Amino acid sequence: MSVSPSIINHLSVVAPGRINLLGEHTDYNEGLVLPAAIGQQMVFTFDRNGSPDQCRITSTSLGKTLQADLGHLQPSSGWENYISGVLRELLKRSGKLEGFDVDFKSDIPVGAGLSSSAALECGLAFGLNILFELGLSPLELIRLSQEAEHNFVGTQCGIMDQFACVMGRKNHFILLDCRDLQHRYIPANLGNCSLLLMGSGIKHALAESAYNDRRAECQRGVALLRETFPEIRSLRDATGEHLNALTDSIPNTIKKRCLYVIEENARVLQALQTLEHGDMEGLGALLSQSHRGLRDDYQVSCPEVDFLVDTALSFPGVLGARIMGGGFGGCSLNLVRSEAVEWVQTALCKAYRESFGREAEPLEVRISDGVRVCS
Ligand code: GLA
């Protein structure tokens, strides 16, 4: 008697947001990043619905439903685009997708730089991979989620967010080499310090196009460097000496972008040393240097986050602070002595309210596992 394999009809999945300790805007330059998955997450509940091609996707947090036809996936706008993008990429790789219903809710703040978009993409891809036994590997799920963003949403993002969402490990940072995707887990030993996120509540409308502009500027920098140094494949291969050798032939803006990326890659390596030696002052200094580079050279900060960073740094107990994520709003990441966290967060909220008339959003960071099935 043959036993038919049991079909999975119902499934719940958790997909986390992410932080990034250091290595901002280095991923699409084949550089190094140091992200981690966090406790803020999206929870999905999937059911097969028996239809060959009709899907119902409901965001309970937004109170909105998207009806999708697998045969006619169209680019639209907003969160729906991430969904359609992932479905399109899954269909490209496997013809086994069928109709399903999914509800999801999230406590990852949108636009805060915590990559709610990667959580949406990866949670959906991960859940459907199991529900319909598509047989895709974690790396394929990461890549297809990134490509959904490139091809449907139009942001030419790197691979860090999706990698962190899928591969995160509790209480560890992921040292990821974005050139070959080799990675290593680094214990998040912060001694008597904690990470505090302060959301600015700001997300500039031009963030996506400005992000793509930065990427293009880096590519321009590589092209100029290659005229003199053909061995350079990406900014990962470049040094400050290479840049200085080009003095006249490289526009100042492009030079500043390249310099930031070169220095940020070096900071990721230095951060590993500080973590290994429990040198929290050293780590804090690296965060603050990164902020200065992102503000002055890469120019992806904004007055609100600069204020949160500068104010935090004026408080005792704050060892370092920087803007985190793609930039143009979002949040600051602060390294704070644990006993000062509560006081710092109250004082920062007060100062922000007084200066900008807005509420800052403090978030506690717990470093969690990556995307997973939940019971
Ligand atoms: C966004 C992108 C990532 C990365 C960061 C900046 O989050 O999705 O790929 O480039 O910005 O480090």
Side-chain angles (χ1 to χ4, degrees):
M1 194 181 72
S2 71
V3 180
S4 61
S6 63
I7 290 183
I8 302 168
N9 282 310
H10 176 86
L11 181 73
S12 293
V13 162
V14 165
R18 64 103 189 87
I19 56 165
N20 183 24
L21 188 63
L22 272 167
E24 217 66 88
H25 291 275
T26 47
D27 58 352
Y28 52 83
N29 287 303
E30 298 193 346
L32 302 170
V33 292
L34 205 48
I38 52 173
Q40 286 77 11
Q41 57 194 23
M42 259 178 213
V43 181
F44 298 76
T45 309
F46 293 89
D47 284 288
R48 286 178 183 250
N49 65 15
S51 154
D53 48 20
Q54 295 303 308
C55 312
R56 220 183 95 259
I57 301 107
T58 302
S59 160
T60 16
S61 317
L62 296 175
K64 288 191 177 160
T65 296
L66 165 71
Q67 206 71 44
D69 178 341
L70 293 176
H72 297 94
L73 293 169
Q74 301 296 341
S76 53
S77 61
W79 63 277
E80 290 96 335
N81 241 345
Y82 295 93
I83 308 274
S84 305
V86 167
L87 296 180
R88 171 75 71 85
E89 294 300 326
L90 282 171
L91 284 169
K92 271 192 204 163
R93 288 162 178 84
S94 162
K96 286 165 73 187
L97 209 54
E98 292 170 33
F100 65 91
D101 295 343
V102 63
D103 289 4
F104 66 93
K105 60 178 188 223
S106 171
D107 67 354
I108 310 171
V110 175
L114 301 180
S115 214
S116 56
S117 49
L120 181 54
E121 295 150 8
C122 297
L124 188 66
F126 180 85
L128 294 175
N129 188 38
I130 297 178
L131 198 65
F132 294 107
E133 300 180 61
L134 307 181
L136 300 170
S137 69
L139 191 56
E140 285 171 298
L141 296 177
I142 291 167
R143 286 216 186 276
L144 79 86
S145 298
Q146 182 195 21
E147 280 162 31
E149 208 152 326
H150 287 189
N151 299 335
F152 245 71
V153 182
T155 309
Q156 299 302 310
C157 64
I159 204 163
M160 169 175 72
D161 302 347
Q162 292 78 9
F163 200 96
C165 180
V166 173
M167 302 298 285
R169 182 181 288 179
K170 192 172 180 186
N171 296 333
H172 288 77
F173 295 107
I174 309 169
L175 171 64
L176 172 65
D177 184 332
C178 299
R179 167 161 271 176
D180 55 13
L181 301 189
Q182 296 263 2
H183 60 285
R184 188 149 66 82
Y185 290 98
I186 309 289
N189 292 334
L190 300 176
N192 62 359
C193 291
S194 305
L195 291 171
L196 169 67
L197 292 170
M198 289 300 291
S200 66
I202 299 284
K203 176 79 186 167
H204 287 289
L206 290 175
E208 269 83 28
S209 64
Y211 180 94
N212 289 345
D213 290 347
R214 292 296 175 280
R215 190 168 181 151
E217 286 166 345
C218 291
Q219 278 162 358
R220 173 102 184 96
V222 172
L224 290 169
L225 283 159
R226 280 174 65 87
E227 286 172 8
T228 311
F229 305 104
E231 69 279 13
I232 292 178
R233 277 174 40 203
S234 72
L235 287 182
R236 173 66 176 280
D237 303 317
T239 63
E241 287 74 49
H242 287 130
L243 273 183
N244 286 334
L246 257 56
T247 23
D248 294 333
S249 56
I250 185 164
N252 195 37
T253 306
I254 305 286
K255 189 173 177 184
K256 284 194 327 188
R257 308 293 191 246
C258 296
L259 184 67
Y260 161 77
V261 172
I262 292 168
E263 290 178 348
E264 183 77 350
N265 274 325
R267 278 190 284 272
V268 174
L269 293 175
Q270 291 164 29
L272 295 180
Q273 302 293 316
T274 64
L275 283 169
E276 201 174 309
H277 297 114
D279 172 13
M280 292 301 105
E281 275 88 0
L283 181 59
L286 292 169
L287 293 187
S288 302
Q289 283 166 26
S290 171
H291 183 74
R292 289 194 290 275
L294 287 161
R295 183 191 61 196
D296 302 336
D297 292 336
Y298 218 65
Q299 295 181 297
V300 291
S301 191
C302 64
E304 293 84 354
V305 181
D306 287 344
F307 175 87
L308 286 172
V309 166
D310 292 342
T311 311
L313 290 174
S314 72
F315 293 150
V318 177
L319 302 186
R322 71 179 191 86
I323 188 168
M324 196 192 74
F328 310 102
C331 67
S332 65
L333 176 71
N334 303 271
L335 183 68
V336 185
R337 293 218 188 278
S338 300
E339 78 265 8
V341 167
E342 230 179 283
W343 176 86
V344 165
Q345 105 186 10
T346 310
L348 265 180
C349 286
K350 181 166 179 285
Y352 193 62
R353 196 178 305 122
E354 282 167 7
S355 291
F356 289 93
R358 311 180 67 100
E359 292 302 315
E361 294 146 20
L363 280 179
E364 171 211 354
V365 176
R366 273 180 298 113
I367 297 187
S368 82
D369 284 323
V371 67
R372 59 204 179 271
V373 171
C374 68
S375 47

Coordinates of all heavy atoms in Angstrom, one line a residue, residues 233-287:
R233 N 37.7 45.9 -8.7 CA 36.4 45.4 -9.2 C 35.2 46.1 -8.6 O 34.2 46.3 -9.1 CB 36.3 43.9 -8.9 CG 36.9 43.0 -9.9 CD 36.9 41.5 -9.5 NE 35.6 41.2 -8.9 CZ 35.5 40.1 -8.0 NH1 36.5 39.4 -7.7 NH2 34.3 39.8 -7.5
S234 N 35.5 46.5 -7.3 CA 34.4 47.2 -6.6 C 35.1 48.0 -5.5 O 36.3 47.9 -5.3 CB 33.5 46.2 -5.9 OG 34.2 45.6 -4.8
L235 N 34.3 48.8 -4.8 CA 35.0 49.7 -3.7 C 35.6 48.8 -2.7 O 36.5 49.3 -1.9 CB 34.0 50.6 -3.1 CG 33.6 51.8 -4.1 CD1 32.6 52.7 -3.4 CD2 34.8 52.6 -4.6
R236 N 35.3 47.6 -2.6 CA 35.9 46.7 -1.6 C 37.4 46.6 -1.9 O 38.2 46.4 -1.0 CB 35.3 45.3 -1.8 CG 35.9 44.2 -1.0 CD 35.7 44.5 0.5 NE 36.3 43.4 1.3 CZ 35.6 42.2 1.5 NH1 34.4 42.1 1.0 NH2 36.2 41.3 2.2
D237 N 37.8 46.7 -3.1 CA 39.2 46.6 -3.5 C 40.0 47.9 -3.4 O 41.2 47.9 -3.6 CB 39.4 46.1 -5.0 CG 38.6 44.8 -5.2 OD1 38.7 43.9 -4.3 OD2 37.9 44.7 -6.2
A238 N 39.3 49.0 -3.2 CA 39.9 50.3 -3.2 C 40.4 50.7 -1.9 O 40.0 50.3 -0.8 CB 38.9 51.3 -3.8
T239 N 41.4 51.6 -1.9 CA 42.0 52.2 -0.6 C 42.0 53.7 -0.8 O 41.8 54.2 -1.8 CB 43.5 51.7 -0.4 OG1 44.2 52.2 -1.5 CG2 43.6 50.2 -0.4
G240 N 42.3 54.3 0.4 CA 42.4 55.8 0.4 C 43.6 56.2 -0.6 O 43.4 57.3 -1.2
E241 N 44.6 55.4 -0.7 CA 45.7 55.8 -1.6 C 45.3 55.8 -3.0 O 45.6 56.7 -3.8 CB 46.9 54.8 -1.4 CG 47.7 55.0 -0.1 CD 47.0 54.4 1.1 OE1 46.4 53.3 1.0 OE2 46.9 55.1 2.1
H242 N 44.5 54.8 -3.4 CA 44.0 54.8 -4.8 C 43.2 56.0 -5.0 O 43.4 56.7 -6.1 CB 43.0 53.6 -4.9 CG 43.6 52.2 -5.0 ND1 43.2 51.2 -4.2 CD2 44.7 51.8 -5.7 CE1 43.9 50.1 -4.5 NE2 44.8 50.4 -5.4
L243 N 42.3 56.4 -4.1 CA 41.5 57.6 -4.3 C 42.4 58.9 -4.4 O 42.2 59.7 -5.3 CB 40.6 57.8 -3.1 CG 39.2 57.1 -3.1 CD1 38.5 57.6 -1.9 CD2 38.5 57.5 -4.4
N244 N 43.4 59.0 -3.6 CA 44.2 60.2 -3.6 C 45.0 60.3 -4.9 O 45.3 61.4 -5.3 CB 45.2 60.2 -2.4 CG 44.4 60.5 -1.1 OD1 43.4 61.2 -1.2 ND2 44.9 60.0 0.0
A245 N 45.3 59.1 -5.5 CA 46.1 59.1 -6.7 C 45.3 59.7 -7.8 O 45.8 60.2 -8.9 CB 46.5 57.7 -7.1
L246 N 44.0 59.8 -7.7 CA 43.1 60.3 -8.7 C 42.8 61.8 -8.6 O 42.0 62.3 -9.4 CB 41.8 59.5 -8.7 CG 41.5 58.4 -9.7 CD1 42.6 57.4 -9.6 CD2 40.2 57.8 -9.4
T247 N 43.4 62.5 -7.7 CA 43.0 63.8 -7.3 C 42.2 64.6 -8.3 O 41.1 65.1 -8.0 CB 44.2 64.7 -6.9 OG1 45.3 64.2 -7.5 CG2 44.3 64.8 -5.4
D248 N 42.7 64.8 -9.5 CA 42.0 65.8 -10.4 C 40.9 65.1 -11.2 O 40.0 65.8 -11.6 CB 43.0 66.4 -11.4 CG 44.0 67.3 -10.6 OD1 43.6 67.7 -9.5 OD2 45.1 67.4 -11.0
S249 N 41.0 63.8 -11.4 CA 40.1 63.2 -12.4 C 38.8 62.7 -11.7 O 38.0 62.1 -12.4 CB 40.8 62.1 -13.1 OG 41.3 61.2 -12.2
I250 N 38.6 62.9 -10.4 CA 37.4 62.4 -9.7 C 36.7 63.6 -9.1 O 37.3 64.3 -8.3 CB 37.8 61.3 -8.7 CG1 36.5 60.6 -8.1 CG2 38.7 61.7 -7.6 CD1 36.8 59.3 -7.4
P251 N 35.4 63.7 -9.4 CA 34.6 64.8 -8.8 C 34.6 64.6 -7.2 O 34.6 63.5 -6.8 CB 33.2 64.7 -9.3 CG 33.4 63.8 -10.6 CD 34.6 63.0 -10.4
N252 N 34.6 65.7 -6.5 CA 34.7 65.7 -5.1 C 33.6 64.9 -4.4 O 33.8 64.1 -3.5 CB 34.7 67.1 -4.5 CG 35.2 67.1 -3.1 OD1 36.1 66.3 -2.7 ND2 34.6 67.9 -2.3
T253 N 32.4 65.0 -5.0 CA 31.2 64.2 -4.4 C 31.5 62.7 -4.5 O 31.3 62.0 -3.5 CB 29.9 64.6 -5.1 OG1 29.8 66.0 -5.1 CG2 28.7 63.9 -4.5
I254 N 31.9 62.3 -5.7 CA 32.2 60.9 -5.9 C 33.3 60.4 -5.0 O 33.2 59.3 -4.3 CB 32.5 60.6 -7.4 CG1 31.5 61.1 -8.3 CG2 32.8 59.1 -7.6 CD1 30.2 60.4 -8.4
K255 N 34.3 61.2 -4.8 CA 35.4 60.9 -3.9 C 35.0 60.7 -2.5 O 35.4 59.8 -1.8 CB 36.5 62.0 -4.0 CG 37.8 61.6 -3.3 CD 38.8 62.7 -3.6 CE 40.1 62.3 -2.8 NZ 41.1 63.3 -2.9
K256 N 34.1 61.6 -2.0 CA 33.6 61.5 -0.7 C 32.8 60.2 -0.4 O 32.9 59.6 0.6 CB 32.7 62.7 -0.3 CG 33.5 64.0 -0.1 CD 32.8 65.1 0.6 CE 31.3 65.4 0.2 NZ 30.8 66.6 0.8
R257 N 31.9 59.9 -1.4 CA 31.1 58.6 -1.3 C 32.1 57.4 -1.2 O 31.9 56.6 -0.4 CB 30.2 58.4 -2.5 CG 29.4 59.6 -2.9 CD 28.3 59.9 -1.9 NE 27.3 60.9 -2.4 CZ 27.2 62.1 -2.0 NH1 27.8 62.5 -0.9 NH2 26.3 62.9 -2.5
C258 N 33.1 57.4 -2.1 CA 34.0 56.3 -2.1 C 34.8 56.2 -0.8 O 35.0 55.1 -0.2 CB 35.0 56.4 -3.2 SG 34.2 56.3 -4.8
L259 N 35.3 57.4 -0.3 CA 36.0 57.4 0.9 C 35.2 56.8 2.1 O 35.7 56.0 2.9 CB 36.5 58.8 1.2 CG 37.4 59.0 2.4 CD1 38.7 58.3 2.1 CD2 37.6 60.5 2.7
Y260 N 34.0 57.2 2.2 CA 33.1 56.7 3.3 C 33.1 55.2 3.2 O 33.2 54.6 4.3 CB 31.7 57.3 3.2 CG 30.8 56.5 4.0 CD1 30.7 56.6 5.4 CD2 30.0 55.5 3.4 CE1 29.9 55.7 6.1 CE2 29.2 54.6 4.1 CZ 29.2 54.8 5.5 OH 28.4 53.9 6.2
V261 N 32.8 54.6 2.1 CA 32.7 53.2 2.0 C 34.0 52.5 2.4 O 34.0 51.5 3.1 CB 32.2 52.8 0.5 CG1 32.3 51.3 0.4 CG2 30.8 53.3 0.2
I262 N 35.1 53.0 1.9 CA 36.4 52.4 2.2 C 36.6 52.4 3.7 O 37.0 51.4 4.4 CB 37.5 53.2 1.5 CG1 37.4 52.9 0.0 CG2 38.9 52.7 2.0 CD1 38.3 53.8 -0.9
E263 N 36.3 53.6 4.4 CA 36.5 53.7 5.8 C 35.5 52.8 6.6 O 35.8 52.3 7.6 CB 36.4 55.2 6.2 CG 37.5 56.0 5.7 CD 37.4 57.5 6.1 OE1 36.3 57.9 6.5 OE2 38.4 58.2 5.9
E264 N 34.3 52.7 6.1 CA 33.3 51.9 6.8 C 33.6 50.4 6.8 O 33.5 49.7 7.8 CB 31.9 52.2 6.2 CG 30.7 51.5 6.9 CD 30.3 52.1 8.2 OE1 31.0 53.1 8.7 OE2 29.2 51.7 8.7
N265 N 34.2 50.0 5.7 CA 34.6 48.6 5.7 C 35.7 48.3 6.7 O 35.7 47.3 7.4 CB 35.2 48.2 4.3 CG 34.1 47.8 3.3 OD1 33.1 47.1 3.7 ND2 34.3 48.1 2.0
A266 N 36.6 49.3 6.8 CA 37.7 49.1 7.8 C 37.1 49.2 9.3 O 37.5 48.4 10.1 CB 38.7 50.3 7.7
R267 N 36.0 50.0 9.5 CA 35.4 50.1 10.8 C 34.8 48.7 11.2 O 34.8 48.4 12.3 CB 34.4 51.2 10.8 CG 35.0 52.5 11.1 CD 33.9 53.6 11.3 NE 33.2 54.0 10.2 CZ 33.5 55.0 9.4 NH1 34.6 55.7 9.7 NH2 32.8 55.3 8.3
V268 N 34.2 48.0 10.2 CA 33.6 46.7 10.5 C 34.7 45.8 11.1 O 34.5 45.1 12.1 CB 32.9 46.1 9.3 CG1 32.4 44.7 9.6 CG2 31.7 46.9 8.8
L269 N 35.8 45.8 10.5 CA 36.9 44.9 11.0 C 37.4 45.4 12.4 O 37.6 44.5 13.3 CB 38.1 44.9 10.0 CG 37.8 44.2 8.7 CD1 38.9 44.4 7.7 CD2 37.4 42.8 8.9
Q270 N 37.5 46.7 12.6 CA 37.9 47.2 13.9 C 36.8 46.8 14.9 O 37.1 46.5 16.1 CB 38.1 48.7 13.9 CG 39.3 49.1 13.0 CD 39.2 50.6 12.7 OE1 38.7 51.4 13.4 NE2 39.8 51.0 11.5
A271 N 35.5 46.9 14.5 CA 34.5 46.5 15.5 C 34.6 45.1 16.0 O 34.3 44.8 17.2 CB 33.1 46.7 14.8
L272 N 35.1 44.2 15.1 CA 35.2 42.8 15.6 C 36.3 42.7 16.7 O 36.1 42.0 17.7 CB 35.7 41.9 14.4 CG 34.8 41.8 13.2 CD1 35.4 40.9 12.2 CD2 33.5 41.2 13.7
Q273 N 37.3 43.5 16.6 CA 38.3 43.5 17.6 C 37.7 44.1 18.9 O 38.0 43.5 20.0 CB 39.5 44.5 17.2 CG 40.2 44.2 15.9 CD 40.9 42.9 16.1 OE1 41.6 42.6 17.1 NE2 40.8 42.0 15.1
T274 N 37.0 45.1 18.8 CA 36.4 45.7 20.1 C 35.5 44.7 20.7 O 35.4 44.6 22.0 CB 35.7 47.1 19.8 OG1 34.5 46.8 19.0 CG2 36.6 48.1 19.2
L275 N 34.7 44.0 19.9 CA 33.7 43.0 20.5 C 34.5 41.9 21.2 O 34.2 41.4 22.2 CB 32.8 42.4 19.4 CG 31.7 43.4 19.0 CD1 31.0 42.8 17.7 CD2 30.6 43.5 20.1
E276 N 35.6 41.5 20.5 CA 36.4 40.4 21.1 C 37.0 40.8 22.4 O 37.1 40.0 23.3 CB 37.5 40.0 20.0 CG 38.0 38.6 20.2 CD 39.0 38.3 19.1 OE1 38.6 38.5 17.9 OE2 40.1 38.0 19.3
H277 N 37.4 42.0 22.5 CA 38.1 42.5 23.7 C 37.2 43.2 24.7 O 37.7 43.7 25.7 CB 39.3 43.4 23.3 CG 40.3 42.7 22.5 ND1 40.6 43.1 21.2 CD2 41.1 41.7 22.8 CE1 41.5 42.3 20.7 NE2 41.9 41.4 21.7
G278 N 35.9 43.2 24.4 CA 35.0 43.8 25.3 C 35.3 45.3 25.5 O 35.0 45.9 26.5
D279 N 35.8 45.9 24.4 CA 36.2 47.4 24.4 C 35.0 48.2 23.9 O 34.9 48.6 22.8 CB 37.4 47.6 23.5 CG 37.7 49.0 23.3 OD1 37.2 49.9 24.1 OD2 38.5 49.3 22.4
M280 N 34.1 48.5 24.9 CA 32.8 49.2 24.5 C 33.1 50.7 24.1 O 32.4 51.2 23.3 CB 31.8 49.1 25.6 CG 31.3 47.7 25.8 SD 30.5 47.0 24.3 CE 31.7 45.9 23.7
E281 N 34.1 51.3 24.8 CA 34.4 52.7 24.4 C 34.9 52.7 22.9 O 34.5 53.6 22.2 CB 35.5 53.3 25.3 CG 35.1 53.9 26.6 CD 35.0 52.8 27.7 OE1 35.4 51.6 27.4 OE2 34.6 53.2 28.8
G282 N 35.7 51.7 22.6 CA 36.2 51.6 21.2 C 35.1 51.4 20.2 O 35.0 52.1 19.2
L283 N 34.1 50.5 20.6 CA 33.0 50.3 19.7 C 32.1 51.5 19.5 O 31.7 51.9 18.4 CB 32.2 49.1 20.3 CG 31.0 48.7 19.4 CD1 31.4 48.3 18.0 CD2 30.2 47.6 20.1
G284 N 31.9 52.2 20.7 CA 31.1 53.4 20.6 C 31.8 54.5 19.7 O 31.1 55.1 18.9
A285 N 33.1 54.6 19.8 CA 33.8 55.6 19.0 C 33.6 55.2 17.5 O 33.4 56.1 16.6 CB 35.3 55.6 19.3
L286 N 33.6 53.9 17.2 CA 33.4 53.5 15.8 C 32.0 53.9 15.3 O 31.8 54.3 14.1 CB 33.6 52.0 15.6 CG 35.1 51.6 15.8 CD1 35.2 50.0 15.9 CD2 36.0 52.1 14.7
L287 N 31.0 53.7 16.1 CA 29.6 54.1 15.7 C 29.6 55.6 15.4 O 29.0 56.0 14.4 CB 28.6 53.8 16.8 CG 28.4 52.3 17.2 CD1 27.2 52.2 18.2 CD2 28.0 51.5 16.0

